[in-house]
């Protein structure tokens, strides 16, 4: 019997993501499959839910409303930040994610919306927030998470041995 995706397992998947107009947003077949630690919120909730219990070779297509994908748009407009206040090592490209420290010390994900003159407009919404998305997935493999992966709360690559900074 083959292993199934569940708590403490790493799913290795090929993923194709399209918006509700059918435009292709991402396709891992252009690179390589992605590995994720199941049950830790590293993929959108609607997708994680349907992958639970699937085994190697399974395919599934699921359409997720914003609440089950990248969330609803919070209605906030992008914030203008002087370029000199941006992290020095951050490429200032639209869509680029970075982490900012909030007033309470918590780290918040932010995305670059656009760069105009000496200002960088940053967004607190994920670029796909508010969008209904369709995910077509093929489960390439399922493996037990390593002790390190379980301790760190995320997958360390396809084989569990990739290191991170």
């Amino acid at each position: 019997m083959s292993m199934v995706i569940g708590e403490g397992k790493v799913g290795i998947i090929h993923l194709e993501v399209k918006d509700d107009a059918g435009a292709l947003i991402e396709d891992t077949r252009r690179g390589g499959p992605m590995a994720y630690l199941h049950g830790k919120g590293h993929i959108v909730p609607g997708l994680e839910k349907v992958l639970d219990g699937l085994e190697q070779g399974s395919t599934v297509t699921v359409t997720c409303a914003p609440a089950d994908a990248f969330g609803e748009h919070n209605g906030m407009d992008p914030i203008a930040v002087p370029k000199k206040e941006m992290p020095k090592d951050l490429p200032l490209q639209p869509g680029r994610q970075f982490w900012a420290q909030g007033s309470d010390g918590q780290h918040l994900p932010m995305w670059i919306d656009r760069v105009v003159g000496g200002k960088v407009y940053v967004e607190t919404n994920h670029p796909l927030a508010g969008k209904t998305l369709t995910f077509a997935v093929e489960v390439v493999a399922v493996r037990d998470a390593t002790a390190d992966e379980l301790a760190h709360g995320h997958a360390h690559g396809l084989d569990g041995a990739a290191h991170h900074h």
Side-chain angles (χ1 to χ4, degrees):
M1 185 174 139
S2 67
M3 205 175 288
V4 299
I5 293 177
E7 198 74 33
K9 305 292 185 205
V10 171
I12 299 169
I13 60 175
H14 268 302
L15 178 69
E16 183 185 274
V17 185
K18 292 183 178 178
D19 66 16
D20 56 6
L24 184 66
I25 295 169
E26 183 178 352
D27 185 353
T28 60
R29 292 185 190 282
R30 295 180 178 167
M34 65 173 266
Y36 80 97
L37 181 56
H38 192 78
K40 298 297 180 191
H42 295 291
I43 60 174
V44 301
L47 183 57
E48 193 164 57
K49 194 176 348 179
V50 300
L51 291 177
D52 195 63
L54 295 185
E55 61 186 11
Q56 180 176 331
S58 298
T59 57
V60 66
T61 299
V62 61
T63 298
C64 296
D68 288 328
F70 291 95
E72 296 291 349
H73 195 282
N74 66 18
M76 292 179 61
D77 290 330
I79 304 157
V81 176
K83 268 188 192 176
K84 66 181 187 299
E85 291 181 21
M86 295 298 292
K88 300 287 176 249
D89 58 348
L90 179 69
L92 300 179
Q93 302 161 326
R96 171 72 67 161
Q97 181 182 7
F98 66 99
W99 292 86
Q101 193 164 341
S103 56
D104 59 0
Q106 191 173 3
H107 285 83
L108 307 167
M110 305 204 66
W111 291 267
I112 295 174
D113 180 65
R114 63 191 183 278
V115 179
V116 180
K119 297 210 182 300
V120 179
Y121 289 82
V122 298
E123 173 73 70
T124 57
N125 291 289
H126 186 283
L128 298 175
K131 296 187 185 301
T132 295
L133 301 171
T134 299
F135 299 88
V137 182
E138 176 194 352
V139 179
V140 176
V142 181
R143 64 172 174 76
D144 287 319
T146 66
D148 268 356
E149 288 173 321
L150 291 171
H152 294 173
H154 57 255
H156 291 175
L158 302 181
D159 62 1
H163 294 286
H164 57 83
H165 310 301

